[in-house]
Amino acid sequence: MKIGIACYPTYGGSGALATELGIELAARGHEIHFITYAQPFRLTSFHEGLFFHEVEVPHYPLFEYPPYSLALTVRMHEVARQHDLDIMHAHYAIPHAEAAWVAKQMLLREDRDLRVVTTLHGTDITLVGQDPSFWSITRFSVEQSDGVTAVSEYLRDETHRAFECDKLDIRVVPNFVDPEIYKPGRDDCHLRALAPGGEKIVMHISNFRKVKRVDDVVRTFAGIRREVASRLVFIGDGPERAAATELAGNLGVLEDIVFLGKLESVAELLSCADLFLLPSEQESFGLVALEALASGVPVVGTGGSGLAEVVDHGVTGFLHPVGAVDEMADSGVRLLTDPDRWASFGRAARSAAVERYSAELIVPMYESLYEEILDGPAR
Ligand code: GMT
């Protein structure tokens, strides 16, 4: 099949997943066309059958906010015509699902029936999409899609509730991981550089937005460090980094934190970690937690949202209420001071990731959905 993929190219789970999906689909013989404003950050080399079409937005003095959605729509229309696309797959509803719907209408007038699949990733539903400025267009564009997926049951249910569309058929297609890329192994994981004194490595990777509660990462680490010689490795960057740095100084742990900033590839660092922290306000899935599990790293984070479908509490990690930093610290100490328990959690984490979330299991679910939609009636 010939598939267009629209996504955010920036550091974030939805763009990462969309890119990995495109790479996997191309490897399976499909023709893949990425349509976005910059090279997706995980698209770092050539892949046969995979193409990138940059969306350029002209600047004009009248524009306070350059209309990216319109330029995206035009590029979608253009690529769909030039390459006779079967499917346009919008990752993250805003603005990709809306743009895909308009492009579809433009193509229908030319007797071309482009089918649209929208994958809901998280904040498009739980945060941004619920803003009054976006609610109605998000609901409309999701309902008008020929197929809709969500990365977790939590997100499917939250979509039905928040957008009053409980009759909408939303398929749950979880995120996936390539277990050949994310795997245990400390041979070349830069352990010495990160923990010169042999300390335990606690890791957190995110875009440092408010929803990630990185201040709770610092507080949890401070609790762990009181009991365990350890270092906190921060990967990524974003608006909450300064506050996290200030808090670390106030708690006296700044000298034990390593800020590595944004990195395109984290697999070789993840396999270095002894523990991964993800104490978010809510996560629709927690792709980075899955990547940690596949690397044999237990995860401590927050329950009550999609992460609970990824981490098995008491088996591959521990889940606690949002803000419960003392409980998260205690769980971290329990794992880091008991080598047998840690090894058991690490083995279970690896097994769970491979058996439930490997690419070879999940990618065919997208292929089947594409085929079902192409065989189905035009909307
Ligand atoms: O993690 C982020 O905040 C980025 C965000 C995004 O939209 O790119 O990630 C969302 O999509 C990921 C891939 O499906 C999920 O693993 C994340 O849980 C989800 N983020 C949230 O729900 C906060």
Side-chain angles (χ1 to χ4, degrees):
M1 289 174 272
K2 295 181 178 180
I3 303 158
I5 295 181
C7 66
Y8 284 107
T10 49
Y11 293 85
S14 59
L17 193 279
T19 307
E20 303 290 0
L21 176 59
I23 292 169
E24 291 286 347
L25 289 168
R28 283 167 171 74
H30 301 287
E31 186 179 309
I32 303 301
H33 294 267
F34 278 97
I35 305 168
T36 183
Y37 60 83
Q39 182 96 0
F41 79 98
R42 285 202 181 174
L43 189 59
T44 53
S45 60
F46 170 74
H47 297 268
E48 207 170 311
L50 190 154
F51 307 91
F52 165 58
H53 306 270
E54 185 174 355
V55 178
E56 294 185 50
V57 187
H59 286 275
Y60 184 65
L62 193 59
F63 293 158
E64 178 72 18
Y65 305 101
Y68 174 67
S69 301
L70 296 182
L72 173 64
T73 301
V74 168
R75 202 80 169 95
M76 284 177 164
H77 173 252
E78 188 181 283
V79 172
R81 285 178 66 187
Q82 281 173 354
H83 299 279
D84 196 21
L85 296 187
D86 301 302
I87 295 266
M88 184 65 71
H89 194 164
H91 286 265
Y92 201 89
I94 301 166
H96 305 111
E98 296 90 39
W101 182 80
V102 177
K104 177 185 174 81
Q105 306 314 311
M106 293 163 72
L107 288 157
L108 280 175
R109 293 168 67 92
E110 302 156 13
D111 295 327
R112 290 172 179 271
D113 181 13
L114 176 72
R115 301 290 167 98
V116 173
V117 175
T118 293
T119 289
L120 307 173
H121 280 275
T123 51
D124 46 351
I125 292 299
T126 60
L127 285 178
V128 182
Q130 293 188 43
D131 185 296
S133 298
F134 295 122
W135 189 86
S136 57
I137 186 68
T138 300
R139 181 180 193 230
F140 172 80
S141 58
V142 169
E143 289 190 326
Q144 291 300 309
S145 300
D146 296 292
V148 183
T149 79
V151 296
S152 64
E153 292 175 5
Y154 162 80
L155 190 62
R156 175 199 61 200
D157 298 346
E158 181 61 11
T159 306
H160 282 151
R161 182 198 67 79
F163 289 86
E164 301 162 11
C165 59
D166 55 355
K167 298 286 185 291
L168 182 63
D169 178 10
I170 300 176
R171 307 289 175 83
V172 175
V173 181
N175 290 329
F176 61 87
V177 67
D178 181 340
E180 286 313 304
I181 294 175
Y182 295 88
K183 56 188 177 186
R186 310 204 136 195
D187 302 341
D188 57 354
C189 78
H190 317 296
L191 205 50
R192 284 292 139 255
L194 297 175
E199 302 90 338
K200 297 293 184 185
I201 293 177
V202 179
M203 192 170 283
H204 173 80
I205 303 173
S206 79
N207 50 29
F208 284 65
R209 291 191 193 130
K210 210 154 189 61
V211 70
K212 300 298 180 178
R213 296 178 67 93
V214 286
D215 52 348
D216 281 0
V217 175
V218 174
R219 290 193 179 93
T220 301
F221 171 66
I224 291 171
R225 186 175 155 282
R226 279 194 289 273
E227 310 287 330
V228 181
S230 49
R231 306 262 289 175
L232 172 60
V233 177
F234 266 143
I235 299 175
D237 208 332
E240 298 300 310
R241 171 177 169 165
T245 306
E246 184 181 354
L247 176 63
N250 296 340
L251 296 178
V253 296
L254 190 55
E255 74 279 2
D256 286 307
I257 297 180
V258 182
F259 281 93
L260 295 182
K262 290 181 179 180
L263 293 171
E264 284 179 356
S265 167
V266 297
E268 70 278 8
L269 288 165
L270 262 175
S271 60
C272 245
D274 295 292
L275 182 70
F276 190 84
L277 294 182
L278 193 63
S280 308
E281 189 74 31
Q282 57 85 20
E283 286 283 350
S284 66
F285 184 88
L287 176 60
V288 69
L290 173 58
E291 293 168 345
L293 296 177
S295 305
V297 181
V299 174
V300 169
T302 42
S305 61
L307 191 62
E309 298 174 41
V310 180
V311 176
D312 295 333
H313 178 73
V315 179
T316 60
F318 291 103
L319 297 174
H320 298 287
V322 172
V325 293
D326 292 341
E327 291 175 42
M328 286 188 257
D330 290 346
S331 292
V333 170
R334 282 174 66 191
L335 283 164
L336 297 177
T337 55
D338 181 338
D340 292 339
R341 180 196 299 266
W342 182 86
S344 164
F345 273 58
R347 283 192 300 273
R350 173 67 181 176
S351 301
V354 172
E355 288 159 21
R356 292 162 57 194
Y357 296 113
S358 66
E360 67 181 12
L361 192 67
I362 304 298
V363 174
M365 291 173 72
Y366 279 113
E367 290 179 295
S368 303
L369 178 64
Y370 295 150
E371 284 159 8
E372 180 188 332
I373 286 164
L374 289 177
D375 294 343
R379 284 182 68 94

